[in-house]
Amino acid sequence: MEKAELIWLNGEFVPWDEAKVHVLSHGLHYGSGVFEGIRCYETERGPAIFRHREHLERLAKSAEMFYLEMPFSGEQIRSATHELIVRNGLRSCYIRPLAFRGYGEMGLYAPTAPIDVMVAVWPWGAYLGEEGKEKGIRARVSSWRRISPAGLIPHSKASGQYLNSILAKTESANAGYEEAILLDERGFVCEGSGENVFLVREGTLVTPPHTASILDGISRKSVIQIARDLGYTVVERDVARAELYLAEEIFLTGTAAELVPVREIDDHSIGEPGEITRHVQGKYEDALCGRAEEYLEWLDFVDQPAPVDEGSKVTS
Ligand SMILES: Cc1ncc(COP(=O)(O)O)c(C=O)c1O
């Protein structure tokens, strides 16, 4: 990965290589952490973070659901992130806040172990590649089912839960596919290992509902709104596995991957990215980069220090 200069850790800006934790940190052993994946884009008005507040709200809710008491408010993390982007001199980047149970007490119930919070930012290109966004990717239905709400909390973006996504992703990568699609515990389509999924069926956009164990994706929410604003019908309903094979178009949405068409699923050809996928993808990318006036409110602009005007410098 490409390093930046500084990482924000528990209220301090520390050099990248010195942002360290103790090996007995609770989160390292049990996965007791929650995190976010956010992106900052270069726009005409400077760097802007896409739906920053919504991501920080989800972080707080993820923490609350696992009884982790956040020692910093969303607003404190937000302003630290702004400063971090500026101090690292970045115009666009990936943003990774993480809150985890730290060092101090072991065992499953460790209420006295502190909650450590960090934010890292670094340059990170499209997760499934620029070519994937352009031409579409090959995906495969995973033999691993998405975590069940009977045993974990799919709505929480919690670190330990990602072992499930890692199994699915690893299986698909080892078999030569770019992404895995997980079914939920009932056998209905759920989502990708790090993205939500949309299908086009008879001209209508269809995406699995909250009750199908999905993560409530912020890209998903944005794409639903954009598609509706463009005049498409979007339905949230259970999707049978075979509907993936019968779909006219399929695409994935996520912060890291953005909007990625699927051109093949389980070795069934879906074909080149379709018209609806392209239409929504174009508008979504305009929204991310501040080119869509109607979605500017989704952007959290990072104030850059004013450039020094040499002519107006006061010399004493
Ligand atoms: C399991 C999972 N599903 C869906 C998503 C998409 O969510 P978002 O659009 O908020 O990035 C992600 C990424 O955060 C994810 O990890």
Side-chain angles (χ1 to χ4, degrees):
M1 67 187 292
E2 202 175 320
K3 289 184 190 178
E5 262 176 58
L6 299 170
I7 285 178
W8 182 86
L9 177 61
N10 292 328
E12 311 281 337
F13 292 89
V14 297
W16 180 280
D17 289 325
E18 285 164 34
K20 293 180 179 163
V21 295
H22 197 280
V23 291
L24 289 175
S25 295
H26 196 270
L28 197 54
H29 294 250
Y30 306 117
S32 48
V34 292
F35 68 100
E36 271 305 317
I38 314 173
R39 276 193 188 273
C40 172
Y41 291 91
E42 175 147 26
T43 75
E44 271 183 2
R45 283 171 51 191
I49 305 172
F50 188 69
R51 307 204 80 167
H52 198 191
R53 286 189 175 85
E54 286 90 338
H55 278 282
L56 293 174
E57 272 166 29
R58 188 170 68 184
L59 182 72
K61 286 179 187 156
S62 293
E64 200 280 327
M65 284 190 270
F66 276 96
Y67 308 100
L68 299 175
E69 265 183 48
M70 292 286 284
F72 296 95
S73 67
E75 201 44 48
Q76 283 172 312
I77 298 173
R78 177 174 166 260
S79 68
T81 304
H82 281 221
E83 188 175 343
L84 191 63
I85 291 169
V86 172
R87 288 177 68 171
N88 278 310
L90 292 167
R91 311 284 304 171
S92 66
C93 58
Y94 185 79
I95 304 168
R96 167 55 55 82
L98 167 73
F100 59 100
R101 211 170 269 291
Y103 167 66
E105 188 183 3
M106 284 305 245
L108 297 182
Y109 182 62
T112 67
I115 306 297
D116 289 326
V117 184
M118 74 96 200
V119 182
V121 296
W122 69 91
W124 198 10
Y127 176 60
L128 296 173
E130 281 304 323
E131 197 182 319
K133 271 171 45 180
E134 193 47 45
K135 299 194 173 141
I137 57 148
R138 296 174 64 241
R140 172 171 129 149
V141 171
S142 178
S143 71
W144 298 99
R145 294 280 168 99
R146 167 83 168 150
I147 49 167
S148 156
L152 279 164
I153 312 178
H155 274 76
S156 176
K157 201 166 162 61
S159 306
Q161 302 192 144
Y162 275 79
L163 285 174
N164 173 243
S165 321
I166 288 171
L167 282 173
K169 180 78 184 180
T170 305
E171 180 187 64
S172 73
N174 287 347
Y177 296 82
E178 277 111 22
E179 189 51 289
I181 305 284
L182 289 87
L183 306 180
D184 70 9
E185 58 167 354
R186 305 164 304 160
F188 289 110
V189 175
C190 176
E191 61 183 9
S193 68
E195 308 86 18
N196 293 108
V197 62
F198 288 79
L199 291 74
V200 177
R201 297 274 284 140
E202 296 176 346
T204 294
L205 278 158
V206 180
T207 192
H210 282 244
T211 44
S213 297
I214 63 165
L215 180 77
D216 183 12
I218 289 165
S219 319
R220 174 184 181 276
K221 206 182 319 210
S222 310
V223 161
I224 288 175
Q225 185 173 335
I226 287 172
R228 286 185 176 145
D229 291 349
L230 290 174
Y232 297 108
T233 303
V234 185
V235 178
E236 296 176 65
R237 66 154 172 86
D238 279 330
V239 174
R241 176 174 181 163
E243 289 190 88
L244 291 171
Y245 312 147
L246 295 168
E248 291 122 61
E249 304 177 28
I250 305 178
F251 61 83
L252 304 175
T253 61
T255 300
E258 298 170 337
L259 193 157
V260 179
V262 175
R263 66 181 157 85
E264 200 181 298
I265 174 90
D266 284 350
D267 306 320
H268 298 288
S269 174
I270 303 298
E272 298 279 300
E275 201 181 309
I276 297 179
T277 302
R278 282 280 178 248
H279 196 190
V280 177
Q281 185 186 40
K283 197 66 172 178
Y284 180 60
E285 288 182 3
D286 285 348
L288 295 176
C289 296
R291 294 188 300 259
E293 197 68 33
E294 64 273 44
Y295 304 118
L296 278 183
E297 64 184 28
W298 286 346
L299 298 179
D300 182 18
F301 288 94
V302 177
D303 288 330
Q304 300 286 91
V308 180
D309 176 358
E310 293 296 326
S312 68
K313 255 187 182 171
V314 180
T315 45
S316 54

